[in-house]
């Protein structure tokens, strides 16, 4: 019982701090899985020991809270300074999401990894491509990103939340009660040409695109603001846009690596 309580506490904490929460990552991975080539799907199934990308897409949130993977805590986000490009801005020496994704892709592409190492790196990559699209995981140093807001919906009275938690979890849990596959099916309806355009480019391009799209979060959710349905009407489409894009881009990088 004690171990169960500890595990549940870790899951709750991880969901409130690291990307999308479980359902957002599940939908991202499910969309990606639906767009894998047969060859890539077969190889990924083998690397993940018979499991799908969805099965492991939240693994890194829990792993980062263990002593073995404590070094990956800063890999879930990236700091952006005003006037700096992604190439010239100072990087966290402990790592960031763009460096981690770029490195993991290079290591998996190079091959020659032991089976256990290949599995570990693939599990990390699946999670981090999702994280780099999450509004709260782009840390704009010209904005205050550490503050609380009052969040309410038609079912709950206003409650104080850390703004990061609202973007990662609350917007999703109060708005989308569908299953993972139902939500993914609703998001995955773009023409083929649009899907290809979204998936084009590099992780650096995807992070830049996310940074431009998501800066509006500071206009919509200011410190101590009371956020209700008007906020959800604006925020949910942004969240869905980012989850959908992450799914297409994750599929693209996995197909490149394993097709």
């Amino acid at each position: 019982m004690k171990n169960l309580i500890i595990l549940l506490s870790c899951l709750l904490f991880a969901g409130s701090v690291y990307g999308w929460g479980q359902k957002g990552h599940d939908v991202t991975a499910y969309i990606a899985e639906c767009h894998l080539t047969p060859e890539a799907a077969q190889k990924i199934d083998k690397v993940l020991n018979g499991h799908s990308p969805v099965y492991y897409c939240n693994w890194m949130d829990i792993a980062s809270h263990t002593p073995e993977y404590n070094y990956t805590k800063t890999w879930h986000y990236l700091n952006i300074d005003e006037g700096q490009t992604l190439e010239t801005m100072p990087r966290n020496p402990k790592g960031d999401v763009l460096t981690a994704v770029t490195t993991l892709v290079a290591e998996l592409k190079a091959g020659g990894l032991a089976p256990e190492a290949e599995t570990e790196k693939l599990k990390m990559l699946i999670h981090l491509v999702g994280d780099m699209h999450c509004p709260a995981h782009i840390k704009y140093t010209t904005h205050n990103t550490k503050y609380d807001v009052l969040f309410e919906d038609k079912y709950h009275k206003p409650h104080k939340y850390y703004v990061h938690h609202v973007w990662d979890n609350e917007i999703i849990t109060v708005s989308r009660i569908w299953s993972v596959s139902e939500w993914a099916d609703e998001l995955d309806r773009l023409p083929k040409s649009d899907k290809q355009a979204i998936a084009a480019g590099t992780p650096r391009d995807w992070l830049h695109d996310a940074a431009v799209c998501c800066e509006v979060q500071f206009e919509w959710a200011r410190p101590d603001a009371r956020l209700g349905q008007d906020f959800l009407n604006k925020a949910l489409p942004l969240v869905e846009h980012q989850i959908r894009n992450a799914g297409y881009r994750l599929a693209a990088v996995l197909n490149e690596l394993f097709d």
Side-chain angles (χ1 to χ4, degrees):
M1 178 61 72
K2 180 179 179 181
N3 289 337
L4 177 60
I5 293 173
I6 292 173
L7 175 59
L8 291 175
S9 298
C10 288
L11 287 169
L12 177 62
F13 179 72
S16 67
V17 175
Y18 293 126
W20 291 137
Q22 180 172 338
K23 192 170 186 179
H25 276 292
D26 286 349
V27 174
T28 293
Y30 187 85
I31 291 174
E33 185 177 8
C34 290
H35 290 275
L36 294 177
T37 65
E39 294 80 3
Q42 184 176 18
K43 292 177 183 177
I44 289 169
D45 181 81
K46 182 178 180 180
V47 174
L48 296 180
N49 302 310
H51 294 295
S52 74
V54 177
Y55 188 86
Y56 282 119
C57 64
N58 286 284
W59 169 83
M60 197 173 176
D61 272 346
I62 306 305
S64 292
H65 290 283
T66 66
E68 182 180 2
Y69 293 100
N70 183 264
Y71 68 93
T72 67
K73 277 191 173 182
T74 64
W75 291 16
H76 299 257
Y77 60 89
L78 179 139
N79 296 320
I80 294 180
D81 295 309
E82 185 177 23
Q84 297 281 349
T85 68
L86 292 176
E87 288 77 21
T88 62
M89 68 184 191
R91 292 290 183 84
N92 189 331
K94 295 182 179 180
D96 59 72
V97 69
L98 181 56
T99 300
V101 167
T102 303
T103 301
L104 290 166
V105 169
E107 291 172 337
L108 287 165
K109 184 179 293 185
L113 297 168
E116 296 81 2
E118 186 178 25
T119 300
E120 176 185 86
K121 293 180 187 301
L122 178 54
K123 286 154 58 176
M124 289 179 171
L125 180 64
I126 290 168
H127 181 83
L128 292 176
V129 171
D131 270 358
M132 72 190 300
H133 289 80
C134 188
H137 287 247
I138 304 167
K139 309 287 188 180
Y140 305 82
T141 57
T142 50
H143 295 281
N144 174 20
T145 61
K146 298 180 179 180
Y147 57 88
D148 294 328
V149 293
L150 284 174
F151 181 83
E152 63 181 324
D153 63 90
K154 60 184 178 181
Y155 304 109
H156 303 96
K157 294 181 179 179
H159 185 80
K160 182 180 287 188
Y161 287 102
Y162 182 38
V163 70
H164 188 141
H165 181 73
V166 171
W167 285 104
D168 283 4
N169 193 67
E170 293 305 309
I171 294 170
I172 293 173
T173 57
V174 306
S175 303
R176 292 297 179 238
I177 59 174
W178 304 324
S179 69
V180 168
S181 60
E182 288 171 333
W183 193 14
D185 287 343
E186 289 299 320
L187 295 182
D188 186 14
R189 291 172 177 263
L190 294 183
K192 183 178 180 180
S193 59
D194 289 352
K195 294 177 183 180
Q196 292 174 335
I198 290 169
T202 66
R204 184 265 177 214
D205 299 324
W206 304 340
L207 196 286
H208 174 78
D209 177 64
V212 172
C213 289
C214 294
E215 191 170 11
V216 70
Q217 66 183 287
F218 301 105
E219 297 177 19
W220 296 349
R222 297 180 183 275
D224 300 317
R226 184 165 178 160
L227 308 178
Q229 192 59 49
D230 288 344
F231 167 75
L232 285 173
N233 290 343
K234 296 181 292 187
L236 181 60
L238 175 61
V239 166
E240 291 189 320
H241 173 272
Q242 291 301 104
I243 288 174
R244 182 202 65 204
N245 285 9
Y248 294 154
R249 289 163 175 170
L250 177 58
V253 73
L254 293 180
N255 284 331
E256 179 185 354
L257 290 170
F258 294 100
D259 192 3

